[in-house]
Amino acid sequence: MRLHVVTGKGGTGKTTAAAALAVALAAGGRRVLLVEVEGRQGIAQLFGIPPLPYAERPVADAPGGGRVFALAADAEAALLEYLEMFYGMRRAGQVLTKFGAVDFATTIAPGMRDVLLTGKATEAVRRREGAARRGGREPADRPYAYDSVVMDAPPTGRVAQFLNVNAEVAGLARVGPIRNHADKVMAVIRSPQTQVHFVTVLEEMPAQETLDGIAEVRAAGLNVGSILVNMVRPPLLEAPVLAEAAAGGLDLDALVRGLKAAGLADPEATARGLAEEVRDHAVRVAVEQRIRARLDEVDLPRLELPLLPDGVRAADVGALGARLAEQGVGR
Amino acid sequence: MSAEEAAGAAAPGAAPGGAPVFDVDALLADRDTRIIVCCGSGGVGKTTTAAALGVRAAEHGRGAVVITVDPARRLAQSMGLTHLDNTPRPVPLPEADGAAPPGTLHAMMLDMKRTFDEIVEAHADPERARQILANPFYQSLSSSFSGTQEYMAMEKLGQLRQSGDWDLIIVDTPPSRSALDFLDAPKRLGRFLDSRLIRVLGAPPATGAFKLLGAGVSMVTGIIAKVVGAQVLSDVQRFVGAFDAVFGGFQERAERTYRLLQARGTGFVVVAAPEGDALREAAYFIERLRRDRMPLAGVMLNRVHRAGVPGLAGDAALAAAAELAATGEHPLAGAALRLHAERARVAARERLLMDRLAAAHPEVPAVEVWARPEDVHDLAGLAEIGRALAGGAER
């Protein structure tokens, strides 16, 4: 597997999951490129570094000498690079910029932007070490420049359209170079070496969007990799207690006795407050179980990452990557 | 802030830190409030908030309409919306306090392509409209131009406002790739349609524009033809030729809508969740709205966690739990105390993040809504959120 596309509903921690996946894949001395495509500078924020330029920069080390590089892909820069690579037109790019054609192509021309962004990621997938960058043939005997590429892709609701670049440009260009470029990009995205991973949390709406997104991505003929459940809370109470609490039958007297034994002030009122918390928690756990059961219905491998109560910092990414490695990522 | 409000600081309807309280009920009850725009980053409950505001507005006797963009299916179903049809549909409201609410609520899902088509039809003669609607370039532009959804949401808002049929219009903004795209989209489309490139492409080869600009132009058209193909170029040229006549109308409408957003009677509600990313986005929204002189009504902090025993600190709870564990007795109390410590920790972290926002924007009114263990997907749930927003929740 060489191209990992990571999507998820807003707020599910898609960028964190993509970065953790990149670290896990880089373990054992491999090189992995983490690409973001939405201009949000999410990777820079996560790693606590200045905004990334349109250049591949090392951002993290992985166990065993592995390295993760990051790139903030930008449609305008990708277009200029594309013109230069395939047409040797550096000056043309400047003229086009002057005429607003680059703005036109990247912001306005439907689908163009997505073709350029996915094109950048697939170019990195295909790239070989020491390849002549300027449109030259890549020497097939050389090793790949990156062992894997991880793309922090647009949110679930938009990902199928984003990846299905062929369909996007089909209405616009039936023939011609852009169409050829799109075909080439699509060949990589559709190939067995590409997988789309869905990040979700155990809440109803993100889970529903995940299931809808999986169906959409499959309908577009793409491969789904895994469901990555993020921000999983550790079980804080044992099942019998939860069942009792959910049924509204928590033993309040036992709770009061316990609080008294611990010497806490105002045990009755405290017990009522705690019972309320336990009930909320029990309802929450029941909802999570229902959601897990629904996610079970699609037969996909599942990865899990824990909730970090204090938020994710740069130093946590390595640990999250290790959690994914424990679950078999990178093996 | 009044003493009463200060005392209610730990109750629903309260604001973090020292920020003034965002009085949602006052905003909805004020007959001069005619437009409410809900904005915020993805996943913070924007659509739910817009719908809850609509239900609450009806309880205040308003005739409200909610424009939603791509709502979650169950939420849409709960409001009786089954497909995109651009037509406000009446929402059957639940009874409040045993009586039907005095106002009404309608809801619609935005169909961006249809809205775009309607503008073309309104501004071009039938023959030209037919040409534009049939053009392949127009078809791509109207259905997938990044920003069309934002633009059309604003256009629809303008249309509904102008119709005069609605007492209060509540708009749920699309989950934009970059914050507040919906403010930029009309301008961006305008800039594109008015750009030099488009002028040049639209001009027949023999006219003055071509001669004047000389070799640069033929080079540009040459490159475009080479890169995108001659067929795309000719589609674009035909589109621009036909669209030119309706373009002035587009610009004018976009400007009118932009002014409408700045006008008295409009209020922006920034929706956020107490998480780092969402609050960073919220801060950006607040600043951007101020820069564009858009009226910010307040910030709504959604899904705030709080502990059920406010007086019991997390550390104290953990210490007590450890004490019980050492005796090997009262496992239930021990477990409940550990759970409480965890909740207290989450609540404290959220409080810290929200206080930071309040400190950076002390003048912006804010209101908090507690997290619920379950998602809301029915009208009763929306009504409950509406009441919580207004500070009328039972706890």
Side-chain angles (χ1 to χ4, degrees), chain A residues 104 177 276-277 284 309-310, chain B residues 192 226 308 340 349 373 375 395:
Chain A
F104 165 78
E276 183 84 344
E277 287 184 350
R284 184 67 237 155
D310 296 325
Chain B
F192 158 63
K226 195 169 170 184
H340 172 75
R349 176 182 157 75
D375 276 3
R395 43 175 220 207

Side-chain angles (χ1 to χ4, degrees), chain B residues 114-126 129 132-133 155 159 162 245-246 249-250 253 256:
Chain B
R114 184 119 135 231
T115 307
F116 212 138
D117 291 355
E118 283 166 10
I119 317 178
V120 169
E121 282 159 356
H123 287 271
D125 58 75
I132 294 173
L133 298 186
E155 169 61 29
Q159 284 178 16
Q162 215 180 0
V246 298
F250 260 75
R253 292 175 86 97
R256 206 162 50 212

Side-chain angles (χ1 to χ4, degrees), chain A residues 11-330:
Chain A
T12 57
K14 173 167 68 74
T15 302
T16 303
L21 183 62
V23 171
L25 290 167
R30 283 172 289 197
R31 289 165 59 95
V32 176
L33 180 66
L34 176 61
V35 187
E36 74 172 4
V37 295
E38 294 182 283
R40 286 188 298 120
Q41 288 292 341
I43 298 173
Q45 263 169 29
L46 176 63
F47 285 102
I49 52 175
L52 291 166
Y54 185 72
E56 293 153 31
R57 294 276 169 86
V59 288
D61 291 329
R67 294 197 93 181
V68 175
F69 296 76
L71 166 71
D74 164 73
E76 184 169 324
L79 176 64
L80 294 178
E81 185 183 58
Y82 168 82
L83 290 175
E84 198 180 331
M85 268 172 78
F86 292 95
Y87 299 96
M89 296 192 292
R90 181 188 283 277
R91 201 177 87 76
Q94 289 160 1
V95 175
L96 288 173
T97 310
K98 198 175 113 208
F99 272 85
V102 171
D103 193 28
F104 165 78
T106 56
T107 313
I108 314 285
M112 264 293 278
R113 186 187 183 88
D114 295 349
V115 177
L116 289 164
L117 293 171
T118 47
K120 183 61 198 169
T122 54
E123 181 270 322
V125 170
R126 289 192 312 257
R127 196 188 309 154
R128 303 260 181 187
E129 269 174 28
R133 295 283 309 273
R134 249 161 236 264
R137 285 261 156 241
E138 278 140 3
D141 54 338
R142 301 274 192 122
Y144 285 114
Y146 291 105
D147 296 293
S148 310
V149 175
V150 176
M151 187 203 277
D152 180 5
T156 317
R158 225 179 71 76
V159 76
Q161 188 197 7
F162 176 78
L163 293 173
N164 204 1
V165 287
N166 258 358
E168 280 207 87
V169 297
L172 191 66
R174 278 175 285 277
V175 290
I178 274 294
R179 182 56 198 260
N180 295 343
H181 183 58
D183 285 344
K184 219 168 144 190
V185 172
M186 206 63 215
V188 174
I189 290 179
R190 278 235 172 88
S191 75
Q193 57 179 337
T194 299
Q195 279 187 341
V196 185
H197 305 281
F198 288 80
V199 182
T200 187
V201 290
L202 292 175
E203 284 166 26
E204 289 174 53
M205 278 201 246
Q208 183 58 49
E209 272 197 27
T210 296
L211 296 173
D212 294 346
I214 289 169
E216 248 185 280
V217 162
R218 280 182 169 157
L222 312 180
N223 308 304
V224 179
S226 54
I227 296 177
L228 202 156
V229 181
N230 198 10
M231 305 187 211
V232 175
R233 294 181 193 84
L236 290 167
L237 296 176
E238 283 162 29
V241 180
L242 287 173
E244 248 175 61
L250 195 72
D251 189 346
L252 204 61
D253 291 340
L255 199 52
V256 172
R257 282 196 302 278
L259 296 178
K260 274 186 185 152
L264 287 169
D266 201 359
E268 279 81 15
T270 303
R272 278 195 301 277
L274 290 182
E276 183 84 344
E277 287 184 350
V278 172
R279 194 186 57 88
D280 267 14
H281 181 69
V283 171
R284 184 67 237 155
V285 170
V287 169
E288 289 183 358
Q289 272 163 359
R290 224 160 46 224
I291 292 167
R292 278 180 193 278
R294 289 206 61 202
L295 294 176
D296 281 340
E297 286 166 24
V298 282
D299 191 22
L300 285 173
R302 208 143 80 205
L303 299 168
E304 297 204 351
L305 284 174
L307 172 74
L308 303 181
D310 296 325
V312 182
R313 299 195 188 110
D316 300 321
V317 178
L320 292 175
R323 294 293 286 266
L324 291 180
E326 284 162 19
Q327 296 169 63
V329 172

